[in-house]
């Protein structure tokens, strides 16, 4: 499952590091921590309580949230507000 999502996870990490290097730490906090606490964990709780899927399918469903995280990260990246002169 991780091998299937490896490209998306790598792109997410690259976007986050570029945003941080440009000086935009707030958006990376929103994308990384906020997304996990406000979306992934509630989805995991809802899936575990309602559908009760097998563990492999459960993990696949949770890893698929990386695609949404990628879309959110690329939106922050394309806005261009993260580019700041830090010197």
């Amino acid at each position: 499952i991780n091998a299937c999502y490896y490209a998306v996870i790598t792109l997410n990490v690259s976007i986050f590091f570029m945003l941080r290097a440009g000086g935009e730490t707030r958006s990376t906090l929103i994308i990384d921590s906020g997304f996990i606490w406000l979306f992934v964990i509630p989805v995991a709780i809802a899936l575990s309580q309602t559908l009760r899927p097998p563990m492999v399918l459960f993990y696949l469903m949770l890893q698929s949230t990386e695609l949404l995280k990628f879309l959110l990260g690329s939106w922050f990246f394309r806005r261009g507000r993260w580019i700041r002169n830090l010197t």
Side-chain angles (χ1 to χ4, degrees):
I1 292 172
N2 276 345
C4 292
Y5 285 104
Y6 188 72
V8 176
I9 293 169
T10 303
L11 288 171
N12 282 343
V13 170
S14 299
I15 287 173
F16 297 155
F17 285 142
M18 283 188 273
L19 291 173
R20 286 182 190 155
E24 182 62 37
T25 56
R26 190 174 353 164
S27 64
T28 57
L29 177 68
I30 292 169
I31 296 169
D32 210 14
S33 299
F35 186 79
I36 290 172
W37 281 103
L38 299 175
F39 186 73
V40 177
I41 292 175
V43 166
I45 292 170
L47 284 173
S48 67
Q49 297 298 318
T50 57
L51 296 178
R52 298 180 190 253
M55 192 55 105
V56 174
L57 185 59
F58 182 72
Y59 187 70
L60 178 68
M61 290 177 189
L62 289 181
Q63 282 299 98
S64 66
T65 60
E66 289 288 329
L67 296 170
L68 294 173
K69 192 173 174 183
F70 170 70
L71 294 173
L72 185 63
S74 62
W75 179 73
F76 274 106
F77 184 76
R78 287 187 196 140
R79 280 193 335 189
R81 288 192 226 166
W82 59 274
I83 303 171
R84 295 188 181 144
N85 187 1
L86 298 177
T87 59

